[in-house]
Amino acid sequence: MIGGFSRVKGAKTGVRSLLLGVYEQDGTLRYAGHVAPHLTPSRGAAFSKRAQTLFQAQPVFYNAPQPERDREFHWLAPDIVAEVSFLEWTPNGEIRHPVFHALREDKPARAVTEEKVVDDPQVGQAGSTRERPGPRGTVFVGDIRISNPQRVMDQASGRSKLDIVRYYDAIAEWALPYLNARPLALVRAPDGIAGELFFQKHSERARIPGVEELPASLYQGHKPLLVAIRQTHWSGSLR
C-alpha cells in the first residue's frame, strides 16, 4: 500500500520513491520501506493525477520515516496499491532490496498486510535459494557479492542489477564453458544501458575475479587481453 511518495527537495514534479506500508492486525498502518517506481510517462502522469486527490497533511503511518535533508515527503491517503517483490523483512519490519513491478487496480489497499517471504520454485538453485543478505546493503548470490543490488540498469523494463545477476547465475552452467580460455571484450554500463557504454578489453587498474590476462606477446604493442580461465574462478564482488 502506498502512503506517500518522496521527491527531490524543492522539485515541483517527479517521484523519487514510493513510501510503502502494510496493515497491522489492529488496523494501524506500519511504514515498510520505500521503492523506486520506474513508471512509464503515461503511467507516471496517471499516478500523479490520482495522487492529487489523496494528498493529506499528516502521514498515515504510526512509524512514519524521519524527514531527510535532500528530499521531501508527500503524504497520501491509503488508497493506491503497488506490487513489489523483495528479498526479506528486516528486523524493524521493513522490506529489504525491493523491486517495483506495477500499480495494482484489482486489490484494495485494506487487504495489504505483511506477507511471508517464500522462494520462487521456478528459480531453483540459480535464484533466491542461493541468495543471502550481505553487509551494508549488499546481497550474495552464491559466493558473489553484489553491491547496489537495487540499481536500475534498464529504465524501460525496470530491471535491476540483481535481476541481471540472477539471469547470468541461471545460465552460467551452459554459458561458462563457451567462455573458458577465450579472449573477452566486456561491455560496461555504469549508468545503465541508457547511459554511456564502453568496451573493456584490458584489466586497467581493477582486477576482475575469474578473469586473467593473456601474455602480452600475443598482442604486441598493446595491453594484454582478458581471458576467462576456469569456471571455478567466477566468484568475488560485483560492483
Side-chain angles (χ1 to χ4, degrees), residues 1-4 18-22 30-35 61 82 84 95 98:
M1 186 281 305
I2 300 173
L18 301 175
L19 308 178
L20 307 175
V22 294
R30 185 184 84 230
Y31 174 68
H34 63 273
V35 65
F61 310 117
V84 176
I95 54 178

Side-chain angles (χ1 to χ4, degrees), residues 15-53:
V15 175
R16 183 173 179 179
S17 62
L18 301 175
L19 308 178
L20 307 175
V22 294
Y23 278 97
E24 303 275 36
Q25 291 185 352
D26 61 2
T28 58
L29 268 171
R30 185 184 84 230
Y31 174 68
H34 63 273
V35 65
H38 312 303
L39 297 169
T40 63
S42 60
R43 292 186 180 276
F47 172 80
S48 297
K49 183 177 180 180
R50 186 174 176 186
Q52 289 177 1
T53 67

Side-chain angles (χ1 to χ4, degrees), residues 62-137:
Y62 67 78
N63 61 335
Q66 296 299 311
E68 298 183 8
R69 184 172 58 182
D70 63 338
R71 64 173 179 164
E72 55 190 17
F73 298 143
H74 299 267
W75 306 113
L76 303 176
D79 187 63
I80 307 176
V81 175
E83 180 179 345
V84 176
S85 62
F86 56 96
L87 182 61
E88 63 179 357
W89 290 101
T90 66
N92 63 343
E94 296 184 17
I95 54 178
R96 191 190 302 277
H97 304 312
V99 176
F100 175 84
H101 293 285
L103 297 177
R104 294 280 297 271
E105 301 291 342
D106 60 328
K107 187 172 184 177
R110 190 62 183 82
V112 179
T113 57
E114 182 173 330
E115 297 179 353
K116 182 180 179 181
V117 179
V118 296
D119 290 332
D120 185 345
Q122 296 182 351
V123 174
Q125 291 299 313
S128 58
T129 57
R130 285 168 45 80
E131 294 177 19
R132 67 184 190 279
R136 297 184 296 278

